[in-house]
Amino acid sequence: MAFIHLDIRCLYTLLICTAFGTLSSNAETKVNPPQDFEIVDPGYLGYLYLQWQPPVSLDNFNKCTVEYELKYRNVDSESWRTIITKNLLYKDGFDLNKGVEAKIHTLLPRQCTNGSEVQSSWSEATYWIASQGNLDTKIQDMDCVYYNWQYLLCSWKPGMGAHLESNYSLYYWYEGLDHALECIDYIQAKGKNIGCRFPYLESSDYKDFYICVNGSSESQLIRPSYFIFQLQNIVKPLPPDYLSLTMKNSEEVNLKWSIPRGPIPAKCLIYEIEFTEDDTAWVTTTIENEIYITRTSNESLQLCFVVRSKMNIYCADDGIWSEWSDEQCWKGDIWKEILLFFLVPFVLVSLFVLVVTCMLLYKQRNLLKMISGFSYKTR
C-alpha cells in the first residue's frame, strides 16, 4: 500500500515538473518585431508599398517559417485590413486625401514553440501627403463615366477658393503602366481645364484606376485631389434600340429589344423596362432582352414601353444607367381612331360648306326678289 501512495506522488510530481518545464520553455521563447518597417510611395497616385526586413536574432528558428501579421488602413477608417504573409513586401491602394497608418509584428508558428504561437511587439509606420493650399482650392464635383466600356471621360469644377488664373492638370495610373501619365486631351472652358478625354486604356478593367488632379497658380498653392475608380463600376452603356411590342393574344404582350451595340457582353447587362398601359405605368427589370407582360385589361387602348441598360452584378459592383430608349407603342382599335381622325374634319368641313351654301342661296333668293320687284315697277 505504501508503494502505491509513493507511485502516485511520483506521478503527480512528474506531471507538475513537465507542465512547469513547458511553461518555462514558452516563457523564454521570444521573437523581435520586423526591422525597417516603412510605407513607400513609388509615385503611383495612391498605390503604396509596405515593406520591412526580417527581425534580428532568428538564428534559433532557422527551421521555422516565420510569418508576419500586417494591419493597415486610412487614418479615419474604423476598421483595419489584416494580412498574414511570409513576404517582406505588400502593395495596396490608399486614398491619399487622408493619411495612412500600418503596423506589423512577427509570428512564430506552434511547431516552433512547443505548441503555442509566439508574437513579437508591433512595429508601426505612417504616411501623409504634405498638405498644400487651402481645402477650398481643390476641384469640385469630380465625375467620371466610362461610356459603353470604350472611352473614359472625367469632368470637374474649379475650387471655390481658387483664383481666376488657376488651372488644373490630371494624372492617372493603373497596374501595367510604367509610370503615371498626364491627360493629353483636356476639355476646356474659357481656356481652363475642366475635364479629360482619355485615350484607349489597354488592359485597365478590373483594376484600381488612380487619378490625381492638382493645380497651378501664380498667387496661391492648390490642394491636390486623389481618386480611385474601378472602371467597370462606372460604365454607362448605350440605350437598347429596335424595340418591338407584339400582342400574342388578348392578354399577353411580348416586349423585345436589341442588345446595345459595343464591347459589353450580353451576359453583363441588366435592363429596366417602364411599361405603360393607358394611364397606368410600372417598372420591372430583367437580364434578358425580352419579356412577356400580361395586360390588366382587355379594353386598354394603348400600350407603350421604354427600356434602358446597366452593368449587372455578375460583371460589376455598380454601374450607370444608360439613357432611355425611344418609346415603342401599340394602339388598340386603330381603325376607329383613323375613322375619327378623318370623320371629324370631314363633318366640320361639310357643315361649313352647308352653311356657306345656305347663305349663298339665301342671298341669291333675295337678289332675285329685288330684281323681280324692280321689273314690275318699270312696267
Side-chain angles (χ1 to χ4, degrees), residues 32 47 50-51 69 93 161 167 171 173 177-178 205 267-268 271 275 297 309 323 338 366:
N32 292 313
Y47 190 67
L50 290 78
Q51 60 188 34
E69 182 180 17
N167 205 358
Y171 297 85
W173 181 87
L177 296 180
D178 294 332
D205 303 324
K267 65 180 181 181
C268 288
Y271 303 96
F275 182 75
S297 171
S309 58
E323 302 299 325
I338 293 174
N366 289 339

mmCIF file of all heavy atoms in Angstrom, residues 32 47 50-51 69 93 161 167 171 173 177-178 205 267-268 271 275 297 309 323 338 366:
data_model
loop_
_atom_site.group_PDB
_atom_site.id
_atom_site.type_symbol
_atom_site.label_atom_id
_atom_site.label_comp_id
_atom_site.label_asym_id
_atom_site.label_seq_id
_atom_site.Cartn_x
_atom_site.Cartn_y
_atom_site.Cartn_z
ATOM 1 N N ASN A 32 11.718 39.060 -32.023
ATOM 2 C CA ASN A 32 11.734 40.506 -32.227
ATOM 3 C C ASN A 32 10.783 40.915 -33.355
ATOM 4 O O ASN A 32 10.459 40.104 -34.233
ATOM 5 C CB ASN A 32 13.144 40.975 -32.575
ATOM 6 C CG ASN A 32 14.097 40.823 -31.413
ATOM 7 O OD1 ASN A 32 13.785 41.208 -30.284
ATOM 8 N ND2 ASN A 32 15.266 40.229 -31.655
ATOM 9 N N TYR A 47 -1.064 54.046 -54.887
ATOM 10 C CA TYR A 47 -0.657 52.642 -54.804
ATOM 11 C C TYR A 47 0.694 52.608 -54.077
ATOM 12 O O TYR A 47 1.711 53.015 -54.610
ATOM 13 C CB TYR A 47 -0.524 52.062 -56.202
ATOM 14 C CG TYR A 47 -0.330 50.566 -56.254
ATOM 15 C CD1 TYR A 47 -1.344 49.700 -55.855
ATOM 16 C CD2 TYR A 47 0.854 50.008 -56.728
ATOM 17 C CE1 TYR A 47 -1.177 48.332 -55.919
ATOM 18 C CE2 TYR A 47 1.034 48.641 -56.800
ATOM 19 C CZ TYR A 47 0.009 47.804 -56.395
ATOM 20 O OH TYR A 47 0.179 46.448 -56.466
ATOM 21 N N LEU A 50 4.307 48.679 -48.718
ATOM 22 C CA LEU A 50 4.599 48.480 -47.298
ATOM 23 C C LEU A 50 5.702 47.424 -47.240
ATOM 24 O O LEU A 50 5.490 46.273 -47.659
ATOM 25 C CB LEU A 50 3.358 48.008 -46.538
ATOM 26 C CG LEU A 50 2.241 49.042 -46.353
ATOM 27 C CD1 LEU A 50 1.410 49.219 -47.629
ATOM 28 C CD2 LEU A 50 1.320 48.660 -45.211
ATOM 29 N N GLN A 51 6.857 47.791 -46.743
ATOM 30 C CA GLN A 51 7.998 46.883 -46.792
ATOM 31 C C GLN A 51 8.750 46.880 -45.465
ATOM 32 O O GLN A 51 8.699 47.836 -44.690
ATOM 33 C CB GLN A 51 8.927 47.264 -47.947
ATOM 34 C CG GLN A 51 9.503 48.669 -47.869
ATOM 35 C CD GLN A 51 10.261 49.061 -49.132
ATOM 36 O OE1 GLN A 51 9.895 48.661 -50.241
ATOM 37 N NE2 GLN A 51 11.327 49.829 -48.966
ATOM 38 N N GLU A 69 2.108 39.381 -39.440
ATOM 39 C CA GLU A 69 0.730 39.881 -39.456
ATOM 40 C C GLU A 69 0.776 41.386 -39.686
ATOM 41 O O GLU A 69 1.333 42.138 -38.870
ATOM 42 C CB GLU A 69 0.010 39.569 -38.149
ATOM 43 C CG GLU A 69 -1.439 40.038 -38.162
ATOM 44 C CD GLU A 69 -2.177 39.725 -36.870
ATOM 45 O OE1 GLU A 69 -1.498 39.444 -35.852
ATOM 46 O OE2 GLU A 69 -3.414 39.765 -36.863
ATOM 47 N N GLY A 93 -3.730 49.867 -52.549
ATOM 48 C CA GLY A 93 -4.118 51.228 -52.855
ATOM 49 C C GLY A 93 -4.712 51.945 -51.658
ATOM 50 O O GLY A 93 -5.415 51.339 -50.842
ATOM 51 N N GLY A 161 -12.352 78.414 -53.883
ATOM 52 C CA GLY A 161 -11.368 79.389 -53.426
ATOM 53 C C GLY A 161 -10.208 79.592 -54.363
ATOM 54 O O GLY A 161 -9.258 80.320 -54.030
ATOM 55 N N ASN A 167 -5.198 76.910 -62.860
ATOM 56 C CA ASN A 167 -5.562 75.879 -63.825
ATOM 57 C C ASN A 167 -5.217 74.517 -63.229
ATOM 58 O O ASN A 167 -4.401 74.414 -62.304
ATOM 59 C CB ASN A 167 -4.838 76.079 -65.152
ATOM 60 C CG ASN A 167 -5.604 75.450 -66.312
ATOM 61 O OD1 ASN A 167 -6.651 74.832 -66.126
ATOM 62 N ND2 ASN A 167 -5.073 75.597 -67.516
ATOM 63 N N TYR A 171 -3.544 63.557 -63.762
ATOM 64 C CA TYR A 171 -2.606 62.451 -63.952
ATOM 65 C C TYR A 171 -3.313 61.155 -63.561
ATOM 66 O O TYR A 171 -4.175 61.141 -62.679
ATOM 67 C CB TYR A 171 -1.356 62.655 -63.088
ATOM 68 C CG TYR A 171 -0.576 63.897 -63.449
ATOM 69 C CD1 TYR A 171 -0.917 65.137 -62.908
ATOM 70 C CD2 TYR A 171 0.482 63.844 -64.351
ATOM 71 C CE1 TYR A 171 -0.216 66.287 -63.248
ATOM 72 C CE2 TYR A 171 1.190 64.985 -64.702
ATOM 73 C CZ TYR A 171 0.830 66.198 -64.147
ATOM 74 O OH TYR A 171 1.518 67.334 -64.495
ATOM 75 N N TRP A 173 -2.897 56.549 -63.315
ATOM 76 C CA TRP A 173 -2.057 55.342 -63.332
ATOM 77 C C TRP A 173 -2.907 54.138 -62.998
ATOM 78 O O TRP A 173 -3.855 54.232 -62.205
ATOM 79 C CB TRP A 173 -0.935 55.457 -62.296
ATOM 80 C CG TRP A 173 -0.027 54.246 -62.287
ATOM 81 C CD1 TRP A 173 1.071 54.035 -63.070
ATOM 82 C CD2 TRP A 173 -0.144 53.087 -61.443
ATOM 83 N NE1 TRP A 173 1.637 52.806 -62.786
ATOM 84 C CE2 TRP A 173 0.919 52.202 -61.792
ATOM 85 C CE3 TRP A 173 -1.040 52.704 -60.463
ATOM 86 C CZ2 TRP A 173 1.093 50.967 -61.171
ATOM 87 C CZ3 TRP A 173 -0.874 51.474 -59.838
ATOM 88 C CH2 TRP A 173 0.193 50.628 -60.188
ATOM 89 N N LEU A 177 1.008 50.181 -66.258
ATOM 90 C CA LEU A 177 1.742 51.357 -66.731
ATOM 91 C C LEU A 177 3.060 51.479 -65.974
ATOM 92 O O LEU A 177 3.125 51.192 -64.777
ATOM 93 C CB LEU A 177 0.918 52.622 -66.528
ATOM 94 C CG LEU A 177 -0.401 52.740 -67.310
ATOM 95 C CD1 LEU A 177 -1.080 54.077 -66.988
ATOM 96 C CD2 LEU A 177 -0.160 52.616 -68.807
ATOM 97 N N ASP A 178 4.091 51.933 -66.668
ATOM 98 C CA ASP A 178 5.402 52.090 -66.036
ATOM 99 C C ASP A 178 5.438 53.271 -65.077
ATOM 100 O O ASP A 178 6.184 53.261 -64.100
ATOM 101 C CB ASP A 178 6.493 52.273 -67.104
ATOM 102 C CG ASP A 178 6.674 51.033 -67.965
ATOM 103 O OD1 ASP A 178 6.403 49.927 -67.452
ATOM 104 O OD2 ASP A 178 7.055 51.172 -69.139
ATOM 105 N N ASP A 205 -9.372 47.100 -67.180
ATOM 106 C CA ASP A 205 -10.579 46.654 -66.490
ATOM 107 C C ASP A 205 -10.239 45.789 -65.285
ATOM 108 O O ASP A 205 -9.252 45.065 -65.271
ATOM 109 C CB ASP A 205 -11.476 45.874 -67.452
ATOM 110 C CG ASP A 205 -11.839 46.690 -68.679
ATOM 111 O OD1 ASP A 205 -12.023 47.904 -68.521
ATOM 112 O OD2 ASP A 205 -11.912 46.114 -69.781
ATOM 113 N N LYS A 267 -24.122 39.026 -71.373
ATOM 114 C CA LYS A 267 -24.279 38.472 -70.028
ATOM 115 C C LYS A 267 -24.004 39.487 -68.931
ATOM 116 O O LYS A 267 -24.299 39.238 -67.757
ATOM 117 C CB LYS A 267 -23.346 37.279 -69.845
ATOM 118 C CG LYS A 267 -21.866 37.644 -69.889
ATOM 119 C CD LYS A 267 -20.976 36.435 -69.712
ATOM 120 C CE LYS A 267 -19.498 36.832 -69.732
ATOM 121 N NZ LYS A 267 -18.624 35.651 -69.572
ATOM 122 N N CYS A 268 -23.443 40.637 -69.284
ATOM 123 C CA CYS A 268 -23.085 41.653 -68.292
ATOM 124 C C CYS A 268 -24.144 42.745 -68.131
ATOM 125 O O CYS A 268 -23.921 43.696 -67.382
ATOM 126 C CB CYS A 268 -21.753 42.312 -68.669
ATOM 127 S SG CYS A 268 -20.310 41.249 -68.444
ATOM 128 N N TYR A 271 -31.573 45.087 -67.618
ATOM 129 C CA TYR A 271 -32.451 46.055 -68.272
ATOM 130 C C TYR A 271 -33.571 46.471 -67.329
ATOM 131 O O TYR A 271 -34.085 45.657 -66.564
ATOM 132 C CB TYR A 271 -33.058 45.453 -69.540
ATOM 133 C CG TYR A 271 -32.037 44.968 -70.539
ATOM 134 C CD1 TYR A 271 -31.669 43.622 -70.566
ATOM 135 C CD2 TYR A 271 -31.431 45.842 -71.436
ATOM 136 C CE1 TYR A 271 -30.722 43.163 -71.473
ATOM 137 C CE2 TYR A 271 -30.491 45.395 -72.338
ATOM 138 C CZ TYR A 271 -30.135 44.057 -72.353
ATOM 139 O OH TYR A 271 -29.192 43.610 -73.248
ATOM 140 N N PHE A 275 -43.243 50.216 -68.430
ATOM 141 C CA PHE A 275 -44.381 49.819 -69.265
ATOM 142 C C PHE A 275 -45.604 50.652 -68.894
ATOM 143 O O PHE A 275 -45.904 50.829 -67.712
ATOM 144 C CB PHE A 275 -44.660 48.327 -69.041
ATOM 145 C CG PHE A 275 -45.777 47.776 -69.865
ATOM 146 C CD1 PHE A 275 -45.608 47.533 -71.216
ATOM 147 C CD2 PHE A 275 -47.006 47.497 -69.284
ATOM 148 C CE1 PHE A 275 -46.645 47.015 -71.976
ATOM 149 C CE2 PHE A 275 -48.049 46.975 -70.031
ATOM 150 C CZ PHE A 275 -47.864 46.736 -71.383
ATOM 151 N N SER A 297 -56.121 44.847 -68.545
ATOM 152 C CA SER A 297 -57.477 44.945 -69.083
ATOM 153 C C SER A 297 -57.458 44.670 -70.582
ATOM 154 O O SER A 297 -56.582 45.153 -71.297
ATOM 155 C CB SER A 297 -58.070 46.337 -68.822
ATOM 156 O OG SER A 297 -59.278 46.495 -69.512
ATOM 157 N N SER A 309 -30.396 50.251 -69.994
ATOM 158 C CA SER A 309 -29.489 49.160 -69.617
ATOM 159 C C SER A 309 -28.420 49.636 -68.646
ATOM 160 O O SER A 309 -28.125 50.832 -68.545
ATOM 161 C CB SER A 309 -28.828 48.575 -70.869
ATOM 162 O OG SER A 309 -28.118 49.573 -71.589
ATOM 163 N N GLU A 323 -29.189 56.045 -71.121
ATOM 164 C CA GLU A 323 -30.370 56.859 -71.383
ATOM 165 C C GLU A 323 -31.531 55.931 -71.750
ATOM 166 O O GLU A 323 -31.334 54.778 -72.144
ATOM 167 C CB GLU A 323 -30.101 57.836 -72.534
ATOM 168 C CG GLU A 323 -28.936 58.778 -72.292
ATOM 169 C CD GLU A 323 -29.142 59.674 -71.093
ATOM 170 O OE1 GLU A 323 -30.302 60.075 -70.837
ATOM 171 O OE2 GLU A 323 -28.152 59.973 -70.400
ATOM 172 N N ILE A 338 -58.540 55.947 -86.761
ATOM 173 C CA ILE A 338 -58.357 56.502 -88.110
ATOM 174 C C ILE A 338 -59.668 57.113 -88.614
ATOM 175 O O ILE A 338 -59.689 58.202 -89.205
ATOM 176 C CB ILE A 338 -57.860 55.406 -89.064
ATOM 177 C CG1 ILE A 338 -56.439 54.969 -88.659
ATOM 178 C CG2 ILE A 338 -57.872 55.902 -90.509
ATOM 179 C CD1 ILE A 338 -55.910 53.798 -89.453
ATOM 180 N N ASN A 366 -82.888 86.511 -102.267
ATOM 181 C CA ASN A 366 -83.201 87.923 -102.011
ATOM 182 C C ASN A 366 -82.896 88.782 -103.231
ATOM 183 O O ASN A 366 -83.611 89.730 -103.561
ATOM 184 C CB ASN A 366 -82.410 88.436 -100.811
ATOM 185 C CG ASN A 366 -82.927 87.850 -99.513
ATOM 186 O OD1 ASN A 366 -84.086 87.387 -99.451
ATOM 187 N ND2 ASN A 366 -82.105 87.891 -98.469
#
